[in-house]
Amino acid sequence: MAIVEVSDLRKTYGKKRAVDGISFRIEECEIFGILGPNGAGKTTTVECVEGLRRPDGGSVRVAGYDPVTDRESVTRVLGAQLQESELQPRITVREALELYAACYPAPADWRALADRLGLTDTLRTRFAKLSGGQKQRLSIALALVGRPDVVVLDELTTGLDPRARRDTWQLIQEIRDSGVTVLLVTHFMEEAQRLCDRIALIDKGRITALDTPSGLIGRTAGSTEVSFTPSAPIEARLLSELPSVASVAYKDGRIVVNGTDETVHAVLSLLAGRGISAHHLRVTEATLDDAYLDLTGQDA
């Protein structure tokens, strides 16, 4: 069942159309990613889902509720970690958790939540003294303390070092495994590819593609690249006629063929049949970066 439904969402700021007819559905217990460049309309879209902004057109439903007219109901089922948020510098982790828990009639046990997110040793630490990773963990805890069915995480790992980022990815997977639906906004391709069940690519206020990570990658012109140095000359024509070949190029004495997994097997079979060895053979699969460039024509 869809727990979040967005239909023909539109939002304009002055003459700028930030969101222009966006529609998508998020299933229960899904990690749904929104990916796109800065200024694409990602944050405006999720702020409409959260009820922080009123759409100019279209509709949004979270567990059947309208975030604007049913705001109180939505706050009981949705938790959010905002793209930019700060707490009072001198508030401690314990005080923040107690304060947020007091806002809900039946909050989660904040002590257990702190332990689960590795915050127990920081309960007496003031917010200003926390590391970037600890602040992000606290943001997640505050988003979860109300026992939400849906949690929105907006640019959660921006500014984190690689280790802290990977630790946070593990936390997101654990959140989903506990039965919470995750709406993840990011511009990190690896993050989206690693975590998301489905991804909506947003560019200039519109969804340009919506699919699983592997589905998006499969749409690229050449989802797999095989490169090698042949032991003997071979005509490019023979390679270009092989199944699913997107392109054939020569780079510094190496032959580079873009295609699919089927293409790789076909190339190796052709070489073997002609007694040609493939020296320094390298096979590289396309990534979400490649898919994004191919589908939108720009960097994220």
Side-chain angles (χ1 to χ4, degrees):
M1 292 179 59
I3 193 168
V4 176
E5 298 181 80
V6 176
S7 179
D8 195 27
L9 182 66
R10 286 169 275 122
K11 182 66 180 177
T12 302
Y13 302 111
K15 295 182 179 180
K16 178 178 174 57
R17 187 167 294 179
V19 178
D20 187 13
I22 282 179
S23 300
F24 60 83
R25 293 162 56 93
I26 304 176
E27 306 300 321
E28 291 183 0
C29 297
E30 181 178 29
I31 299 180
F32 186 90
I34 293 182
L35 183 66
N38 292 331
K42 304 188 303 295
T43 294
T44 296
T45 297
V46 297
E47 286 179 345
C48 289
V49 172
E50 295 161 337
L52 298 178
R53 294 192 184 275
R54 182 185 294 269
D56 295 329
S59 66
V60 178
R61 293 293 183 272
V62 179
Y65 300 114
D66 184 316
V68 175
T69 60
D70 302 318
R71 186 171 181 79
E72 184 176 346
S73 297
V74 170
T75 59
R76 291 198 299 266
V77 298
L78 184 143
Q81 172 268 328
L82 304 179
Q83 183 178 10
E84 295 182 10
S85 61
E86 288 288 326
L87 298 177
Q88 291 293 329
R90 295 181 62 79
I91 194 172
T92 66
V93 171
R94 180 191 183 102
E95 290 169 342
L97 289 167
E98 289 179 332
L99 176 63
Y100 274 62
C103 296
Y104 298 94
D109 180 351
W110 65 261
R111 295 173 184 81
L113 202 55
D115 183 61
R116 175 183 169 194
L117 294 172
L119 293 169
T120 300
D121 292 339
T122 68
L123 290 177
R124 296 183 180 181
T125 304
R126 300 189 188 279
F127 182 77
K129 297 294 184 180
L130 297 175
S131 68
Q134 289 169 336
K135 288 180 178 179
Q136 295 294 52
R137 288 172 180 268
L138 178 57
S139 294
I140 296 174
L142 298 178
L144 295 175
V145 75
R147 298 181 186 271
D149 297 317
V150 181
V151 63
V152 179
L153 306 176
D154 192 352
E155 303 288 5
L156 181 66
T157 61
T158 298
L160 298 186
D161 61 59
R163 170 56 61 187
R165 181 174 297 132
R166 289 179 182 274
D167 289 344
T168 303
W169 291 350
Q170 179 63 36
L171 289 174
I172 294 172
Q173 290 173 323
E174 291 174 2
I175 290 168
R176 188 270 299 279
D177 292 342
S178 71
V180 179
T181 301
V182 178
L183 173 54
L184 177 67
V185 183
T186 182
H187 65 266
F188 289 117
M189 297 293 180
E190 183 184 2
E191 181 167 284
Q193 186 171 346
R194 178 76 64 91
L195 294 176
C196 297
D197 297 301
R198 289 187 301 140
I199 298 169
L201 297 184
I202 295 182
D203 185 30
K204 298 178 182 178
R206 296 183 177 184
I207 291 180
T208 58
L210 198 166
D211 207 335
T212 63
S214 59
L216 292 174
I217 292 170
R219 297 189 193 187
T220 60
S223 59
T224 302
E225 178 185 278
V226 55
S227 62
F228 58 93
T229 302
S231 61
I234 184 169
E235 295 179 48
R237 175 184 59 81
L238 296 176
L239 293 168
S240 63
E241 291 174 351
L242 293 175
S244 303
V245 169
S247 66
V248 178
Y250 288 84
K251 298 180 181 178
D252 300 323
R254 293 176 62 81
I255 297 177
V256 180
V257 182
N258 281 285
T260 65
D261 289 342
E262 182 183 5
T263 304
V264 177
H265 296 301
V267 168
L268 296 179
S269 295
L270 174 65
L271 296 177
R274 292 177 171 267
I276 299 174
S277 299
H279 297 303
H280 309 295
L281 177 69
R282 179 179 298 171
V283 178
T284 306
E285 293 186 352
T287 66
L288 201 55
D289 283 286
D290 302 310
Y292 189 87
L293 287 170
D294 199 41
L295 292 168
T296 68
Q298 61 177 297
D299 295 310

